[in-house]
Every structure is written in structure tokens, then in C-alpha cells.
Amino acid sequence: MAGEGRPRWAEIAYEAIAPVYDEFTHENDYETWFGLLLPELERHGLRTGRLLDVGCGSGKSFAPMLARGWSIVGCDVSAAMLKRGREKVGDSVRLEVADMRELPTYGEFELVWALNDPVNYMLDEQELDLALDGMRRNLSPDGLLMFDANTILTYRGFFAEQIEFERDGWRMIWRGRSSAEIEPGAVSEAEFEAVPLEEGVGEPITPELHRERHFPLEQILAALERSGLECLDVFGYGVDEAMHQPLDEDEHYKAIYIARAV
Ligand SMILES: C[S@@+](CC[C@H](N)C(=O)[O-])C[C@H]1O[C@@H](n2cnc3c(N)ncnc32)[C@H](O)[C@@H]1O
């Protein structure tokens, strides 16, 4: 088990959701995201080579880089999520169970990223610092770090909504427990459950809690500095599926940070 002694909310939640994670997130279009993100990384001198995907889950976030010929190490706190990744990529990617709050040093990577929420599973500033320290230790001297952090708009919206839909033989239910009034920096919770509708798709997934913390811009910038990282750029990702500057916490649903070691 990764992260012995630390709260295991994320691990428990992802062990549960793993059988239907790809189905639940079927609308996520990583090729479109990379079409936006890669030029920004290249503008900051990205060199092709090795990617460390932290919180890689079932491999959706590294798939486009694998297709582009990158050598990839992926790690995640959930063995069940990695198992789904392994089914897709076999031995072509090194996949390791690891907690980003105590990330091993796997080598020197031209690019380290944590995409689609891993950073928000850090529930206080100490955990955020541990994650950023670990990612910095894996950077090559001119390597780039990129990660996203959900904005307050996401915690007042998606984490306050109930969403229910059917797909691939499952009914999936997301019950946000947050509210439109939560304060910046708060921890929000949502419950996920899935009910099989057809024989043979799998066992029912009983409700599990996703707990995420909102980190405002100034907290992330201060944490980057404490971890010996220089913030190169911050973008807001909007409902129009475009990147914007400056970040607007009330308009954009994700903040995207690009940094490098000082
Ligand atoms: C929304 S998923 C994103 C997965 C993948 N990056 C993607 O884009 O599909 C968030 C991932 O963060 C991982 N995660 C959360 N807390 C973590 C931790 N402390 N250490 C490593 N991974 C963590 C979860 O297990 C999950 O796979």
C-alpha cells in the first residue's frame, strides 16, 4: 500500500471507481487538451524525451504522449487504476503504485505532469508541498512541470451537482455535497456510485467519497516557491474549452500551471 500512515481517501475512492473510470470520464478529450497544452510547453523550451505522469490513473493522460513516441513512467496511488492502464499499454509504459505525497525519484524527466485533479486530492498545504517537492526531484535540469488545479467555479458547480447517466451497461451517479457558497480554500466532497444494468459488466460500486481541496492561485504560487519551483505561466481553462490569461476563478473551471526548478 502506498502512503502508509497518511489519509487514504483518494486511494479508496479510486480503487472503487476504477472499473468505470474511463466510462465516467468518456467526454474528456485529451487530444484536444494536448493541442492546447503542448504549444505552451514548447514555448517554454520543452525538449522531447521522458514524461513522468503523476496520478496517471488508467493512462488516459499519457496516451497521447505515448502515441508521440515519448518514454513514459506513470504512477498512481490506486493499483486498480493502474491495472486498467496496464490492460491498454502492456509493458510499453513503466507503471508504479506510488503516493505523490512521498514520490520516489524515478529519474530525470524533461516533463513531469499531474493532470486532471491529482493535486486537488492534496488536502492541506503540507501535502501540496510534499507533492511539489517530489515532482521537482524528478525534473531534469531544464525539465518542465505542469499540473492543473480546479477553480472555485468547479467546487461551487460540479461538486455541488447531482449527475446521473447510463453508459456501457452502467448507471453512474455523482452526488456533489458542496454548495454554491463554499469559500476559497475549502475541502469539497462528492459521492460516486455505479449500478450495473446488464449481466456480466461487473459488481455494484457502492458509494465512495471524493474529497478535494481548492487551492487559490496565491496558495499555489507560494507553495511553488517553497518547493524551489519558478512559475512560468498560469492559464485558466474555460467552458469554451480554450486557455485564457489571466486566470479567472469565477469564469474558468481549471487553472493550469507551468513551472521549472529554480
Ligand atoms: C481524476 S483522476 C486523473 C487520472 C489521469 N491523470 C487522467 O487524466 O485520466 C485523479 C488521479 O489522481 C490519483 N491520485 C489522487 N491522490 C493521489 C496521491 N496521493 N498519489 C498518487 N495519485 C493520486 C487518483 O488515484 C486518480 O487516478
Side-chain angles (χ1 to χ4, degrees), residues 6 50 52 54 75 98-113 126-146 223-224 226-230 259-262:
R6 300 194 180 282
R50 290 153 297 177
L52 175 61
V54 177
C75 63
D99 190 320
M100 62 196 285
R101 296 167 295 184
E102 40 197 47
L103 195 63
T105 304
Y106 293 112
E108 292 195 344
F109 294 82
E110 282 71 34
L111 183 56
V112 176
W113 72 29
Q126 192 202 7
E127 292 193 355
L128 177 62
D129 287 355
L130 290 169
L132 292 176
D133 285 348
M135 293 196 280
R136 182 190 35 73
R137 274 189 278 102
N138 278 282
L139 284 172
S140 67
D142 55 358
L144 294 175
L145 167 66
M146 181 163 70
L224 285 169
R226 285 195 297 276
S227 291
L229 289 155
E230 176 193 5
R260 71 170 164 227
V262 177

Side-chain angles (χ1 to χ4, degrees), residues 31-46 68 113 144 146 233 235 243 258:
E31 270 301 338
T32 302
W33 289 353
F34 289 120
L36 298 168
L37 298 173
L38 280 179
E40 300 301 341
L41 290 165
E42 282 160 6
R43 212 165 47 77
H44 288 294
L46 177 69
R68 286 166 174 76
W113 72 29
L144 294 175
M146 181 163 70
D233 247 329
F235 297 92
M243 308 252 282
I258 299 176

Side-chain angles (χ1 to χ4, degrees), residues 149-150 184-186 213-222 247 249 257:
N150 289 324
R213 173 171 165 150
H214 171 243
F215 287 104
L217 173 72
E218 52 286 4
Q219 278 184 13
I220 299 264
L221 294 181
L247 165 68
E249 284 268 339
Y257 295 85

Side-chain angles (χ1 to χ4, degrees), residues 176-230:
R177 291 186 177 176
S178 184
S179 84
E181 281 85 44
I182 64 140
E183 294 294 324
V187 171
S188 292
E189 293 181 346
E191 198 178 68
F192 178 82
E193 144 175 38
V195 181
L197 301 173
E198 294 167 13
E199 286 275 311
V201 289
E203 295 298 313
I205 296 174
T206 52
E208 283 303 343
L209 264 194
H210 287 256
R211 303 191 87 211
E212 290 196 13
R213 173 171 165 150
H214 171 243
F215 287 104
L217 173 72
E218 52 286 4
Q219 278 184 13
I220 299 264
L221 294 181
L224 285 169
E225 203 176 322
R226 285 195 297 276
S227 291
L229 289 155
E230 176 193 5

Side-chain angles (χ1 to χ4, degrees), residues 8-160:
R8 295 175 53 220
W9 292 103
E11 181 189 346
I12 293 165
Y14 279 91
E15 287 293 293
I17 202 175
V20 295
Y21 176 80
D22 287 0
E23 293 73 11
F24 183 58
T25 58
H26 69 276
E27 281 182 349
N28 292 355
D29 179 355
Y30 285 80
E31 270 301 338
T32 302
W33 289 353
F34 289 120
L36 298 168
L37 298 173
L38 280 179
E40 300 301 341
L41 290 165
E42 282 160 6
R43 212 165 47 77
H44 288 294
L46 177 69
R47 289 196 299 114
T48 308
R50 290 153 297 177
L51 164 68
L52 175 61
D53 187 342
V54 177
C56 68
S58 64
K60 283 183 142 188
S61 43
F62 63 63
M65 300 301 273
L66 190 61
R68 286 166 174 76
W70 281 62
S71 157
I72 295 165
V73 176
C75 63
D76 199 280
V77 76
S78 163
M81 289 290 281
L82 293 176
K83 182 167 172 279
R84 287 210 72 180
R86 172 82 57 222
E87 286 160 10
K88 296 176 203 164
V89 300
D91 292 333
S92 60
V93 173
R94 178 178 166 199
L95 294 176
E96 300 283 347
V97 177
D99 190 320
M100 62 196 285
R101 296 167 295 184
E102 40 197 47
L103 195 63
T105 304
Y106 293 112
E108 292 195 344
F109 294 82
E110 282 71 34
L111 183 56
V112 176
W113 72 29
L115 291 187
N116 202 13
D117 290 19
V119 163
N120 289 107
Y121 284 93
M122 305 298 100
L123 292 179
D124 58 35
E125 287 186 276
Q126 192 202 7
E127 292 193 355
L128 177 62
D129 287 355
L130 290 169
L132 292 176
D133 285 348
M135 293 196 280
R136 182 190 35 73
R137 274 189 278 102
N138 278 282
L139 284 172
S140 67
D142 55 358
L144 294 175
L145 167 66
M146 181 163 70
F147 61 90
D148 63 77
N150 289 324
T151 60
I152 198 70
L153 179 69
T154 295
Y155 294 111
R156 289 178 178 161
F158 181 54
F159 270 74

Side-chain angles (χ1 to χ4, degrees), residues 155-189:
Y155 294 111
R156 289 178 178 161
F158 181 54
F159 270 74
E161 288 165 6
Q162 168 143 346
I163 297 165
E164 194 165 334
F165 65 90
E166 290 178 12
R167 191 173 171 91
D168 298 331
W170 290 90
R171 177 179 302 124
M172 290 179 254
I173 307 143
W174 173 266
R175 291 186 200 92
R177 291 186 177 176
S178 184
S179 84
E181 281 85 44
I182 64 140
E183 294 294 324
V187 171
S188 292
E189 293 181 346

